[in-house]
Amino acid sequence: MKITILTLFPEMFDGFLHTSIIHRALEKKQVEIEVVNFRDFTLDKHNKVDEYPYGGGQGMVLMCQPIVDAILAYRTENSMVILITPEGKTFQQKIAHELALKEHLIFICGHYEGFDARISRYVDMEISLGDFILTGGEVAVMAISDAVIRLLDGVIKESSHQDESFENQLLEYPQYTRPVDFNGDSVPEVLLSGHHENIRKWRLKQSLKRTLERRPDLLQNKVLSKEEMQLLESIKNEESFDTN
């Protein structure tokens, strides 16, 4: 996969590209990432990429010309152009899987007050990281790129993300490591038993319980197995479970 990032602040990606899993994926050529300053494409003699909005209002608006010319310079028939904007579809793990199948992603990082609306005619998808506002789209692009890259073949072990939160519309079960007892708080005995089937059932039940408590919306569209329905019913019947 190739990822092209169009931004006014390429230096923001220095740490992202040189640490942890992303750095290893780049070294192994599992992904190629190029960071492009779209200011280099402006035709303005003062290198401007923004202007005051027509109709008045606060802030500055990014102009069409530099961004569209940058898109056209890097876009191929296999490219998918993604605009980071609050009006876009909220990013979820399902979208990460869809993007991981693409050959070339082009991300456009916004800044200032926003984009000239005509830029949206040159993009294939608009994505929002959530219902909040960032100074620019760079942080969102890092988050989305990270979520996508880790799904590429060989970047991490397949088994490492099969049980992660959102992979099966459930939150992940709680994890524990040494010591067994920490300030009187002990690891659940089932995890020390060595009984793999009991551990599997405990983890599934805990995953269902966490999801019901913290993100019940995830269960609304999930097709539950017979085992999951039984466990969910037992969770609801437990006196310790608070449905409020």
Side-chain angles (χ1 to χ4, degrees):
M1 168 182 278
K2 181 177 181 179
I3 296 177
T4 301
I5 301 169
L6 306 182
T7 173
L8 285 176
F9 302 96
E11 64 277 8
M12 288 185 66
F13 294 88
D14 290 346
F16 176 72
L17 298 176
H18 292 92
T19 55
S20 191
I21 291 173
I22 305 302
H23 181 60
R24 292 199 296 271
L26 287 167
E27 284 191 325
K28 295 179 180 179
K29 301 189 184 304
Q30 292 161 321
V31 64
E32 176 187 351
I33 301 178
E34 57 185 356
V35 183
V36 178
N37 190 334
F38 61 77
R39 190 184 297 277
D40 294 340
F41 288 84
T42 183
L43 300 179
D44 183 85
K45 63 181 180 180
H46 301 296
N47 288 327
K48 288 183 62 176
V49 295
D50 60 323
E51 260 297 356
Y52 292 104
Y54 283 125
Q58 298 298 316
M60 305 290 282
V61 176
L62 289 169
M63 297 185 292
C64 292
Q65 180 272 313
I67 294 177
V68 171
D69 281 359
I71 292 172
L72 296 178
Y74 287 91
R75 185 173 201 163
T76 69
E77 61 180 11
N78 297 319
S79 301
M80 183 173 192
V81 182
I82 300 169
L83 181 66
I84 305 301
T85 170
E87 292 81 22
K89 183 184 297 185
T90 302
F91 185 69
Q92 296 179 338
Q93 189 67 8
K94 179 182 177 181
I95 298 177
H97 278 281
E98 293 172 359
L99 297 183
L101 299 175
K102 304 299 182 181
E103 292 185 26
H104 183 206
L105 302 177
I106 299 177
F107 289 105
I108 308 171
C109 303
H111 224 77
Y112 307 124
E113 189 61 25
F115 297 92
D116 186 305
R118 291 168 290 185
I119 292 172
S120 63
R121 299 175 186 175
Y122 296 84
V123 308
D124 303 303
M125 188 177 192
E126 297 184 4
I127 292 179
S128 168
L129 202 58
D131 296 341
F132 54 90
I133 303 300
L134 296 168
T135 303
E138 286 78 12
V139 172
V141 168
M142 289 182 213
I144 295 168
S145 297
D146 186 288
V148 171
I149 292 169
R150 66 196 309 278
L151 295 175
L152 301 179
D153 290 342
V155 173
I156 63 173
K157 293 180 180 178
E158 180 68 21
S159 58
S160 295
H161 57 71
Q162 287 179 344
D163 293 325
E164 289 179 331
S165 294
F166 310 116
E167 283 295 342
N168 52 8
Q169 290 182 274
L170 295 174
L171 298 181
E172 189 177 5
Y173 48 79
Q175 299 273 21
Y176 298 86
T177 187
R178 295 181 180 181
V180 172
D181 184 282
F182 180 73
N183 292 340
D185 193 359
S186 298
V187 174
E189 290 186 9
V190 65
L191 298 178
L192 308 174
S193 68
H195 194 298
H196 298 300
E197 179 59 14
N198 287 348
I199 292 173
R200 183 195 67 80
K201 288 183 178 180
W202 180 88
R203 284 176 167 170
L204 177 57
K205 184 175 181 179
Q206 293 301 312
S207 184
L208 286 162
K209 184 176 181 179
R210 273 194 168 187
T211 306
L212 185 61
E213 290 175 333
R214 304 179 185 189
R215 289 293 305 276
D217 56 297
L218 295 175
L219 294 171
Q220 293 178 0
N221 298 318
K222 178 175 173 58
V223 179
L224 297 169
S225 67
K226 183 177 180 180
E227 180 184 31
E228 289 171 334
M229 287 189 286
Q230 292 173 342
L231 288 172
L232 199 56
E233 190 62 30
S234 70
I235 292 168
K236 292 178 179 179
N237 291 332
E238 289 175 358
E239 292 183 359
S240 60
F241 179 69
D242 182 4
T243 57
N244 296 323

